[in-house]
Amino acid sequence: ELKVEQNPLFLSMQEGKNYTIYCNYSTTSDRLYWYRQDPGKSLESLFVLLSNGAVKQEGRLMASLDTKARLSTLHITAAVHDLSATYFCAVDRGLLRTGANNLFFGTGTRLTVIP
Amino acid sequence: NAGVTQTPKFQVLKTGQSMTLQCAQDMNHEYMSWYRQDPGMGLRLIHYSVGAGITDQGEVPNGYNVSRSTTEDFPLRLLSAAPSQTSVYFCASSYSGLRRGNTEAFFGQGTRLTVV
């Protein structure tokens, strides 16, 4: 059974601090995604990680993927209040060869950045 | 540049009523899917489609039907609403998983459904 575990589930941090969110998954996967969701809003794509060792950065966020360890991290540098949101990682369910891009989501990490 | 459009945004149903949630995309994506989001459970896949005329069940399909008559549209039907179907529903689309490279999913704005 595919499992995607994120930790922590809740994170409260002060502005200017650094922190890492972890995403562990239980089976091999070709692709891993990070999404952001603001309260009452839709999901916004942040990163797509397609291979082992992939690292992507956008502003204060950096995501990496280690397929051997089945681990992805989302690192936050010098947090600002605008980063407050829920962050989800998702992996594909291994049906890409059928054309299906089915995603299995973690339960999310709710980040609150305190001024 | 509409992307993925869902209607309605909010809906209240009585137990036993039926309704259709609409989803349309204008990006010529082959793949479309429906998820439901419940507190503390992330998003779970209901049904998906890899192209017009092709649909399949996801993780939690019971109580829902879908069809895909065109590339653009992928409606989700609730056959007989139950309180357990109270949730936020998201439609998503992407290029086919067969394509190499980026297949990020684009999500609609969501439909908040309450069944009383």
Side-chain angles (χ1 to χ4, degrees), chain B residues 52-71:
Chain B
I54 306 169
T55 63
D56 208 341
Q57 296 181 350
E59 188 181 357
V60 287
N62 292 341
Y64 308 95
N65 272 355
V66 292
S67 61
R68 184 99 178 267
S69 57
T70 67
T71 300

Side-chain angles (χ1 to χ4, degrees), chain A residues 12 34-35 53 56 113:
Chain A
S12 181
W34 283 96
Y35 285 89
K56 291 197 173 180
V113 180

Side-chain angles (χ1 to χ4, degrees), chain A residues 69-95:
Chain A
R70 298 179 186 172
L71 171 69
S72 180
T73 61
L74 181 66
H75 186 72
I76 304 156
T77 302
V80 293
H81 180 67
D82 286 351
L83 290 179
S84 296
T86 299
Y87 293 85
F88 292 95
C89 65
V91 299
D92 78 85
R93 290 171 177 258
L95 295 176

Side-chain angles (χ1 to χ4, degrees), chain B residues 93-108:
Chain B
S93 75
S94 74
Y95 288 116
S96 167
L98 290 170
R99 294 189 186 222
R100 292 183 178 273
N102 193 350
T103 53
E104 67 178 312
F106 294 84
F107 286 81

Side-chain angles (χ1 to χ4, degrees), chain B:
Chain B
N1 195 9
V4 180
T5 303
Q6 283 183 241
T7 57
K9 291 186 178 179
F10 302 93
Q11 183 70 49
V12 179
L13 288 179
K14 294 183 179 179
T15 297
Q17 286 185 318
S18 63
M19 79 160 295
T20 299
L21 308 184
Q22 301 291 343
C23 177
Q25 54 94 6
D26 61 0
M27 296 173 281
N28 204 29
H29 286 162
E30 300 95 344
Y31 174 86
M32 296 185 74
S33 54
W34 278 99
Y35 292 85
R36 60 177 288 173
Q37 183 178 29
D38 300 297
M41 299 189 73
L43 280 78
R44 292 180 294 168
L45 181 66
I46 305 171
H47 284 285
Y48 66 94
S49 169
V50 298
I54 306 169
T55 63
D56 208 341
Q57 296 181 350
E59 188 181 357
V60 287
N62 292 341
Y64 308 95
N65 272 355
V66 292
S67 61
R68 184 99 178 267
S69 57
T70 67
T71 300
E72 294 78 19
D73 299 299
F74 191 45
L76 177 72
R77 298 183 187 83
L78 280 70
L79 307 173
S80 177
S84 61
Q85 293 179 304
T86 294
S87 187
V88 180
Y89 291 85
F90 288 99
C91 178
S93 75
S94 74
Y95 288 116
S96 167
L98 290 170
R99 294 189 186 222
R100 292 183 178 273
N102 193 350
T103 53
E104 67 178 312
F106 294 84
F107 286 81
Q109 290 302 303
T111 297
R112 189 172 295 272
L113 175 67
T114 302
V115 183
V116 298

Side-chain angles (χ1 to χ4, degrees), chain A:
Chain A
E1 179 187 348
L2 175 58
K3 291 184 179 179
V4 179
E5 295 181 342
Q6 288 183 236
N7 69 83
L9 298 182
F10 299 92
L11 176 58
S12 181
M13 57 191 298
Q14 287 185 319
E15 279 192 332
K17 298 294 186 181
N18 304 334
Y19 209 83
T20 300
I21 299 170
Y22 297 88
C23 174
N24 290 90
Y25 54 98
S26 62
T27 189
T28 56
S29 177
D30 293 330
R31 302 173 194 187
L32 188 136
Y33 305 82
W34 283 96
Y35 285 89
R36 167 183 172 145
Q37 186 179 38
D38 293 300
K41 302 295 185 180
S42 185
L43 283 79
E44 173 191 356
S45 177
L46 295 174
F47 300 107
V48 182
L49 303 171
L50 300 177
S51 61
N52 186 42
V55 177
K56 291 197 173 180
Q57 183 164 4
E58 180 72 33
R60 300 174 187 274
L61 300 177
M62 183 176 70
S64 66
L65 178 62
D66 181 344
T67 57
K68 294 180 180 178
R70 298 179 186 172
L71 171 69
S72 180
T73 61
L74 181 66
H75 186 72
I76 304 156
T77 302
V80 293
H81 180 67
D82 286 351
L83 290 179
S84 296
T86 299
Y87 293 85
F88 292 95
C89 65
V91 299
D92 78 85
R93 290 171 177 258
L95 295 176
L96 294 175
R97 66 185 181 281
T98 70
N101 190 25
N102 299 348
L103 300 180
F104 196 98
F105 282 82
T107 52
T109 296
R110 184 176 296 181
L111 170 66
T112 303
V113 180
I114 303 168

